[in-house]
Structure formats: C-alpha cells, structure tokens
C-alpha cells in the first residue's frame, strides 16, 4: 500500500490562535485537547486534517504551497466577504468582469490562500 497524507501541517507563531481561525473559516473542529499556548493544534474538516505547529522562525516570502478554497453553499464573493469579516486580508484580486477568476487572501499570520468560484458558479458559465 502507498502512503496517505495524514495531516497538512502549517508552521506558525501561535498554533491555537491560527488553528481556531481556520476552524472557523472551514467550518472545522478544533481538537478537544487543544488550548491557548499549546505548541500544536489540530483542526478536522470534512476535506482534511490540519496540524498547526508553533515554530520560532517568522514567515518570510511567498508560500511554496497554498490552499484553493471552493465555497460549497455560497458564491465566491460571499465567501470572500465572510473570510474578510473573520480577519483575512486581500492579497490579490484576480476577478474578471465576466465573473471568472479568484481572490488571493492571507490568514492572520500572512499565509496566502485563494478563493475560487463555487461549483454552481462554474456550471453557470
């Protein structure tokens, strides 16, 4: 049997705070044994398990890997607005006049991620 990805791990300055943010962003669940100040925090979502690990090194430069989020029950623009209200920041707006494109956001620690159009929006074009 081949290997499976068990976690997607994110290095960060504050594991609990960033994991809590992503749990809210992805409608995930923070581990019952995760608390403020812990060196690690686990978020379980319907699509993946994310492990946030505190590291001393600050983020520098662009992410080599990032997540592309596809809204399931709202439009791309509604999802962008929701994530901005949670504390994300716009890093790059790649939406086009014809409704295609995506938006690159950053989480509270500056990690880039993108929000694409929903499956319904893609099917309509």
């Amino acid at each position: 049997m081949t290997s499976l990805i068990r976690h997607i791990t994110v290095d960060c300055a504050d594991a609990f705070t960033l994991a809590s943010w992503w749990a809210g962003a992805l409608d995930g669940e923070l581990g019952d044994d995760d608390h403020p100040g812990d060196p690690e925090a686990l978020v379980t979502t319907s699509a993946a398990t994310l492990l946030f690990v505190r590291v001393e090194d600050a983020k520098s430069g662009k992410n080599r890997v990032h997540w592309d989020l596809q809204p399931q029950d709202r439009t791309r623009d509604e999802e962008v607005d929701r994530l901005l209200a949670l504390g994300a920041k716009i890093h790059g707006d790649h939406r086009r006049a014809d409704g295609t494109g995506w938006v690159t956001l950053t989480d509270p620690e500056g990690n880039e991620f993108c929000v694409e159009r929903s499956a319904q929006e893609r099917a309509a074009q």
Side-chain angles (χ1 to χ4, degrees):
M1 171 172 266
T2 61
S3 295
L4 300 175
I5 296 173
R6 182 170 175 217
H7 303 121
I8 300 169
T9 302
V10 178
D11 292 347
C12 56
D14 185 333
F16 181 81
T17 299
L18 194 58
S20 296
W21 190 88
W22 276 104
L26 299 175
D27 194 27
E29 303 235 348
L30 195 59
D32 290 336
D33 58 346
D34 292 321
H35 304 285
D38 284 354
E40 298 178 355
L42 197 66
V43 174
T44 303
T45 73
S46 61
T49 302
L50 310 174
L51 176 62
F52 295 84
V53 178
R54 182 177 61 219
V55 297
E56 299 302 318
D57 299 331
K59 181 183 181 302
S60 63
K62 184 181 181 309
N63 295 3
R64 297 287 306 262
V65 174
H66 70 269
W67 301 328
D68 290 337
L69 306 183
Q70 184 181 56
Q72 299 300 298
D73 59 354
R74 58 183 60 95
T75 67
R76 172 200 58 211
D77 294 345
E78 290 168 338
E79 181 68 350
V80 167
D81 290 342
R82 186 182 77 83
L83 293 166
L84 291 172
L86 288 175
K89 305 257 188 274
I90 292 181
H91 183 71
D93 193 332
H94 308 281
R95 291 177 276 198
R96 298 183 192 103
D98 67 358
T100 61
W102 68 95
V103 180
T104 303
L105 302 174
T106 58
D107 70 17
E109 289 201 10
N111 300 301
E112 299 93 2
F113 64 98
C114 294
V115 180
E116 301 178 346
R117 294 179 298 153
S118 68
Q120 295 80 6
E121 289 174 293
R122 287 176 177 276
Q125 291 210 323

